[in-house]
Amino acid sequence: MDFTKKVVIITGAGSGIGAATAQLFAAYNANVIVSDINLDQAGLTARDIKKSGGMATVVQTDVTQFDQVKALVTDTVTTFGQLDVMVNNAGIGGKHQLKTAEHDHDDWHNVIAVNQTGVFYGMQTALQQMMLQGQGAIVNVASLAGLKASGNNLSYSASKYAVVGMTKSAALEYGRKNIRINAVCPGFTHSALLNQLLASSDTMEKNLKRMIPMGRFGEAKEIAEAICWLASDHSKFITGQTITLDGGTSL
């Protein structure tokens, strides 16, 4: 894959899947805008990219704030003249693992704001620019929890089901505009979110791996590879799809 002269924004690029995706796009010669609410973490990702000879720009962005997301896209276009790929990756999990009747309201509002509203803002602002250009690709990071039931995880599950639905609806709307919109749905993948889940119980890692036919967790770079492919010319006839990367868990 080659993204030479392409401009790519990745939200939540300071760690995990976002960082791996930023590094991989840069390895494919893209000009990468590393966006994250944590400026220090974003800086580390950009530093690693530049050490490897890639191109990276750091922009601090809170995806729950529309003005900041709009500025992210506007400033990118002002600087580089275009936006070819938008990866809406920023996401969080709830702090508590509780059933619906006891679900924490702060968790609900925070998770929905980042995972659902943040993706909406990212898609909307990117689409406005891509419409002007007449082309573009958007990849949203959903989850296996957006395809199948996930107990004690209502806000996260609701937000990821929403990402899948928004992806399909927007893809339907913009398919004739040369703009493709797809999503990846990772299963249990090494990340801060997985670490948080594993810390909740001494037996959690063993229990989770028992549900994965491949017997291991995913790696962030494996998800990044699918994201890059969906954004590339190698998938030009694909839109409105969700690619599940879960080691067979959904089976």
Side-chain angles (χ1 to χ4, degrees), residues 43-105:
L44 291 176
T45 299
R47 183 198 65 185
D48 290 342
I49 288 172
K50 291 175 181 178
K51 278 186 176 180
S52 299
M55 296 173 288
T57 302
V58 175
V59 180
Q60 186 176 33
T61 311
D62 179 351
V63 297
T64 71
Q65 303 301 309
F66 178 76
D67 289 347
Q68 292 189 32
V69 179
K70 182 67 174 177
L72 170 65
V73 172
T74 300
D75 292 349
T76 295
V77 175
T78 298
T79 302
F80 299 102
Q82 65 199 62
L83 172 60
D84 300 289
V85 179
M86 182 77 173
V87 180
N88 292 303
N89 165 74
I92 62 171
K95 294 181 179 180
H96 308 92
Q97 298 290 311
L98 298 170
K99 293 182 179 179
T100 302
E102 294 83 33
H103 197 75
D104 185 84
H105 286 197

Side-chain angles (χ1 to χ4, degrees), residues 148-169:
K148 300 180 74 67
S150 180
N152 301 331
N153 208 16
L154 187 71
S155 54
Y156 188 80
S157 181
S159 70
K160 294 303 185 177
Y161 266 93
V163 171
V164 170
M166 291 189 294
T167 297
K168 291 180 178 293
S169 294

